[in-house]
Amino acid sequence: MNPFDLTGRTALVTGCKRGIGYAMAEGLAEAGANIIGVSASLEAGSGIEKAVTALGRTFTSYQCDFSDREAVKAFATQVLAEQGVPDILVNNAGTIKRAPAAEHSDEFWFEVIDVNLNAQFLLSRAIGAKMIARGSGKIIFTASLLTFQGGVTVPGYAASKGGIGQLTKALSNEWAGKGVNVNAIAPGYISTDNTEALREDPVRSTQILARIPAGRWGDPDDFKGPIVFLASEASRYVHGEILVVDGGWMGR
């Protein structure tokens, strides 16, 4: 038996249109899973849909504004009614707003907390309850290095990702004994839209790269292995873990 095989499983992946979420959805499909994809602007015939269906898997797309709590609740109700309870929930959708803390607007703060933390809890609560009733399920959050560190000029993002770390542990404490694995992946500095400002800053980019023992920025495809591990039977005794994928940054 291959403990990493996801044939016949269904994974709901939020924020899968590009970047890390795209790679996670594609990696799960490569391992055999069918994908339900959702983002704020995911259209039919998207790149990730084409990539998944080219592998012989099914892809169903939804749109949801994760900054709107009522929209998130409505989406949870809709997807459960139309698709049933997924085997795997990947809470990856997120946003970041950069401004010094003293100038960080209410709008920046609340949008980031709603998208990165509140929506994650609402979706996990709705789908997690169904997983508990079934007696099985995998929930995986996308955390961050700022789950552990404070960052600079991103107070809302740091607070939200710190909250994701604690939410991972809190849900795991309650649900591990009920057949549901709850874990998180904490990306390091990865070449995505979220880090474009840092990569284009010659000073910060040089400083960051100098601290990464692997000697490079991460690539979204670096998350295919970790997501398949946490979504599969290979991680059946892994609960409440925050798996850091950072090229060695946190060990420096």
Side-chain angles (χ1 to χ4, degrees):
M1 294 179 63
N2 177 4
F4 298 96
D5 184 16
L6 298 177
T7 300
R9 307 287 178 86
T10 299
L12 170 56
V13 185
T14 73
C16 65
K17 186 175 180 178
R18 58 184 179 269
I20 292 172
Y22 183 112
M24 287 178 168
E26 186 175 42
L28 291 167
E30 288 170 348
N34 296 313
I35 306 297
I36 303 167
V38 56
S39 75
S41 59
L42 186 65
E43 68 283 350
S46 64
I48 184 58
E49 179 175 347
K50 292 175 181 176
V52 168
T53 56
L55 293 166
R57 319 300 178 210
T58 64
F59 186 93
T60 308
S61 61
Y62 288 88
Q63 291 185 355
C64 180
D65 179 359
F66 289 100
S67 68
D68 182 337
R69 298 177 199 174
E70 294 307 313
V72 174
K73 293 177 184 178
F75 165 69
T77 299
Q78 179 185 8
V79 76
L80 285 169
E82 294 178 354
Q83 306 298 329
V85 185
D87 301 287
I88 303 151
L89 169 61
V90 180
N91 283 303
N92 172 72
T95 190
I96 190 167
K97 299 291 184 181
R98 299 182 185 275
E103 303 163 16
H104 212 77
S105 68
D106 288 356
E107 291 75 18
F108 275 16
W109 175 270
F110 290 122
E111 180 180 351
V112 171
I113 295 297
D114 275 329
V115 173
N116 292 6
L117 186 57
N118 291 335
Q120 317 278 347
F121 172 70
L122 293 174
L123 197 54
S124 297
R125 182 180 64 187
I127 293 177
K130 301 296 184 181
M131 289 178 169
I132 290 169
R134 183 179 59 198
S136 67
K138 300 274 190 172
I139 298 177
I140 304 146
F141 292 96
T142 296
S144 169
L145 293 183
L146 298 197
T147 299
F148 312 99
Q149 301 173 327
V152 179
T153 71
V154 287
Y157 186 82
S160 70
K161 292 302 184 177
I164 285 296
Q166 293 304 102
L167 181 59
T168 299
K169 296 173 186 177
L171 297 184
S172 175
N173 287 344
E174 293 191 37
W175 297 352
K178 299 176 181 179
V180 180
N181 296 72
V182 184
N183 294 289
I185 295 174
Y189 286 93
I190 314 301
S191 295
T192 66
D193 292 349
N194 277 0
T195 61
E196 184 176 3
L198 292 176
R199 287 182 284 114
E200 291 181 349
D201 183 327
V203 175
R204 286 289 288 130
S205 181
T206 300
Q207 290 172 338
I208 289 168
L209 194 59
R211 180 176 162 166
I212 301 174
R216 66 173 178 88
W217 286 71
D219 184 86
D221 281 356
D222 292 324
F223 293 85
K224 289 183 175 182
I227 195 68
V228 169
F229 168 63
L230 290 178
S232 69
E233 286 302 302
S235 61
R236 63 185 180 184
Y237 198 58
V238 179
H239 295 275
E241 177 66 24
I242 303 173
L243 176 59
V244 181
V245 182
D246 67 347
W249 172 281
M250 288 297 293
R252 192 68 177 258

